[in-house]
Amino acid sequence: MERLLFLGVFTCLAGIAVIFYTAVRQRNVPAVVNTGVSFLLVFIPVLVDVLAYWFYGIRVGLTPELPLWIAVTGLFHSYGMLGPYDEISWWDHLTHTLSAALVAALLYAGVIVALESAPVSAGNSLIWATVVLVTLLSGVFWELIELLARDFGKKFDLPPVLEHYGRRDTVLDLFFDVVGALLVLVTDLRLFVPMAEVSPETTVAALVVVLGGLVVGSLVMSLIVVVEHAESTTQTYSGRSD
């Protein structure tokens, strides 16, 4: 079974590499950047496993399912950058559901393990609420990155690395982020629990760091967006008065 999973990873990586080559041939800079990042992200779990063993002498219980999920999500996202995002209305919903489900599955495993060592017992409602809310927060974080990427591109007259399609699209993206999280919870997908159980203390610390990063990052980016839009509005009115 593991061989088939690894074969799936390599197949997805090969597909991403082909898309990268196509994007280079088309001189599609956003697709080149996104495809390159998607390719590298597949190796992040392996890197974490190697570093954990190197510095702490432990394995993180890495299984092929995690890099495969990242690879599949990256493949769909990379291909979408070549046109499907603009041409197929549901493509963006699919990629958001896939990526949000991955985030939720990792969170679900982390929260389960963290609460097992908590002094107070917690019911499923608390676990569900935590996973859904943090997954939603990660979606907000991503939408702010897209918005800043668009503004950055406009400001410096560069093709945006990520596309932001407006408020309606943002609401739909967040909706499908929640759908991805609920799919994980409804199916009780505990795929990554063994990995989280290797070191419960590290799992709890990782959850704290992730949550803190999402909150602080979202607040900082929101402030930047507000300031940028305020400056843009001021310049527009100033131009009209001149």
Side-chain angles (χ1 to χ4, degrees), residues 162-235:
L162 297 169
E163 290 287 349
H164 185 271
Y165 296 99
R167 294 179 182 177
R168 181 178 179 277
D169 180 70
T170 296
V171 172
L172 285 172
D173 288 347
L174 295 176
F175 171 77
F176 283 99
D177 289 341
V178 173
V179 169
L182 290 176
L183 285 174
V184 170
L185 294 169
V186 168
T187 57
D188 191 25
L189 186 62
R190 301 183 177 225
L191 185 63
F192 303 123
V193 169
M195 189 169 64
E197 287 177 333
V198 171
S199 176
E201 297 82 5
T202 303
T203 296
V204 172
L207 286 173
V208 172
V209 170
V210 168
L211 182 58
L214 289 174
V215 171
V216 174
S218 297
L219 289 174
V220 171
M221 286 191 290
S222 297
L223 180 61
I224 293 173
V225 169
V226 170
V227 171
E228 287 285 341
H229 284 199
E231 290 179 352
S232 177
T233 302
T234 302
Q235 291 174 0

Side-chain angles (χ1 to χ4, degrees), residues 124-195:
N124 285 335
S125 57
L126 177 60
I127 296 175
W128 279 48
T130 301
V131 172
V132 171
L133 289 175
V134 178
T135 303
L136 184 60
L137 179 58
S138 69
V140 171
F141 186 85
W142 178 257
E143 294 300 319
L144 287 168
I145 291 176
E146 286 187 346
L147 186 58
L148 286 176
R150 184 199 65 180
D151 291 347
F152 182 85
K154 285 183 177 179
K155 186 173 184 178
F156 295 97
D157 195 25
L158 297 170
V161 175
L162 297 169
E163 290 287 349
H164 185 271
Y165 296 99
R167 294 179 182 177
R168 181 178 179 277
D169 180 70
T170 296
V171 172
L172 285 172
D173 288 347
L174 295 176
F175 171 77
F176 283 99
D177 289 341
V178 173
V179 169
L182 290 176
L183 285 174
V184 170
L185 294 169
V186 168
T187 57
D188 191 25
L189 186 62
R190 301 183 177 225
L191 185 63
F192 303 123
V193 169
M195 189 169 64

Side-chain angles (χ1 to χ4, degrees), residues 105-117:
L106 291 169
L107 283 170
Y108 190 41
V111 171
I112 288 173
V113 171
L115 291 179
E116 283 178 351
S117 57

Side-chain angles (χ1 to χ4, degrees), residues 4-23:
L4 288 176
L5 293 174
F6 279 120
L7 179 61
V9 173
F10 289 124
T11 301
C12 289
L13 286 173
I16 294 173
V18 171
I19 295 170
F20 180 83
Y21 174 75
T22 303

